[in-house]
């Protein structure tokens, strides 16, 4: 099992109201398995981690991304580096782009 975790930032009505959307996607099925809306901080990264179904938290590997993994919330032994050349990160990046264009 491989999960791609990512977050994107945006403004709600004004620049002073910055929000982050945290996402976790099953790479095999391209299904969003968890999301959280909040700040870009450790507390909200932990909230995303707790929303990920237990089976994924126990058995899945998570791709490395700067926002989630630099906060040291997800266990280090579950990190996997996914380079752009693999094409596996395209799904969540495409999802993020779709959300940005439609919101």
């Amino acid at each position: 099992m491989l999960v791609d975790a990512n977050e994107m930032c945006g403004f709600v009505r004004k620049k002073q109201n910055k929000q982050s959307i945290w996402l976790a996607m099953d790479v095999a099925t391209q299904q969003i398995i968890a999301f959280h809306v909040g700040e870009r901080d450790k507390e909200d990264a932990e909230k995303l981690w707790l929303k990920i179904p237990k089976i994924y938290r126990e058995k899945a590997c998570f791709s490395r991304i700067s926002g989630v993994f630099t906060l040291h919330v997800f266990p280090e032994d579950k990190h996997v580096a996914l380079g752009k050349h693999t094409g596996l990160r395209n799904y969540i990046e495409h999802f993020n782009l779709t959300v940005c264009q439609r919101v």
Side-chain angles (χ1 to χ4, degrees):
M1 256 188 269
L2 181 62
V3 173
D4 193 2
N6 203 342
E7 58 90 19
M8 63 180 175
C9 294
F11 303 104
V12 179
R13 295 195 175 161
K14 56 185 177 180
K15 285 193 174 186
Q16 291 80 14
N17 191 7
K18 189 174 183 180
Q19 298 291 313
S20 290
I21 301 173
W22 298 79
L23 299 169
M25 177 185 278
D26 183 321
V27 173
T29 64
Q30 301 171 22
Q31 180 179 12
I32 300 295
I33 58 172
F35 76 95
H36 178 73
V37 178
E39 302 290 323
R40 188 178 186 191
D41 59 18
K42 185 175 182 176
E43 182 180 315
D44 285 298
E46 289 170 347
K47 289 178 182 177
L48 173 69
W49 175 252
L50 294 174
K51 289 180 179 181
I52 294 173
K54 187 176 180 182
I55 189 84
Y56 286 96
R57 285 183 293 175
E58 292 175 353
K59 299 189 184 238
C61 291
F62 294 84
S63 68
R64 293 182 186 271
I65 59 130
S66 59
V68 176
F69 293 106
T70 57
L71 297 171
H72 306 292
V73 172
F74 291 21
E76 286 288 329
D77 63 333
K78 294 190 175 277
H79 291 195
V80 172
L82 287 182
K84 290 184 178 182
H85 64 280
T86 64
L88 295 174
R89 299 235 22 182
N90 293 350
Y91 302 114
I92 199 157
E93 295 297 339
H94 178 48
F95 183 85
N96 285 347
L97 180 62
T98 302
V99 169
C100 286
Q101 288 178 340
R102 293 188 180 175
V103 172

